[in-house]
Each structure stands twice: as structure tokens, then as C-alpha cells.
Amino acid sequence: MQTFALYLAAALSEIAGCFAFWAWLRLDRSPLWLGPGMASLALFAWLLTLSPADHAGRAYAVYGGVYITASVLWMWLAEGRRPDQWDVTGTAICLAGAALILWGPRAA
């Protein structure tokens, strides 16, 4: 559970940071959004280094599944667009893949 919370916090930090840039460029918001956005992206990078994965590439791959889940939740909670059956199914598949990558049995 702690591992999932770490990846979820990283995903929320990345989404928030990227959304700050989106808001500035696409929603015509103030450039002042960029400071918190960059801080959020730095927090994301730091959080990802705390992953229990033994290699950076594996940490990034696992994070991908969590990021997809967080993105679909963002679409629903922040943008008001409810996920359809394909969003939910795809998210479940991605999370299963992420779990397999992180916790799959490996030769010592």
C-alpha cells in the first residue's frame, strides 16, 4: 500500500505540474502558474526516486500504469468527464501490468 501511495503522489505531482503549463498555454492563465508547476514537477522527480524498484527504467515503467490511472481520475474529478468502460478496462490492464513489472518473480 505504501508503494502505491508513493506512485500516486508522484502521479498527482506530475499531473499538477503539467496542468499548470496547460493552463498557461491553452487556458490563457497567468505565467505565475509556471512557478508552482515547476516545483510540482521537481517534487514528482524526487518522489519517483523513492520507488522500491531496483532500476530506474523499472520504476518508470511501473509509474506509467499508475500515471494512466491518475490521468483517468483527473479527467473525471477535475475535468468532469466520467470514464467509460474502455477507460476503466484499460486502466485495470495497465495497473495489472505495472504490478507484474514491480512484483513479478525474478531470478536472483
Side-chain angles (χ1 to χ4, degrees):
M1 190 62 165
Q2 184 178 6
T3 298
F4 183 74
L6 172 70
Y7 278 109
L8 184 59
L12 293 176
S13 297
E14 184 182 18
I15 290 170
C18 290
F19 184 76
F21 279 81
W22 180 278
W24 170 58
L25 286 172
R26 302 279 303 264
L27 303 177
D28 201 28
R29 298 292 195 269
S30 166
L32 295 176
W33 280 65
L34 298 178
M38 288 185 283
S40 186
L41 290 171
L43 176 62
F44 151 72
W46 176 73
L47 286 169
L48 205 53
T49 66
L50 303 177
S51 165
D54 54 353
H55 294 88
R58 192 166 287 140
Y60 304 154
V62 172
Y63 169 69
V66 176
Y67 181 78
I68 289 167
T69 303
S71 298
V72 171
L73 287 171
W74 179 273
M75 178 182 71
W76 188 10
L77 301 174
E79 298 180 75
R81 178 69 174 195
R82 187 172 184 183
D84 62 22
Q85 68 185 28
W86 303 111
D87 296 322
V88 173
T89 302
T91 297
I93 291 168
C94 291
L95 282 178
L100 183 62
I101 290 167
L102 184 60
W103 293 308
R106 293 194 166 74

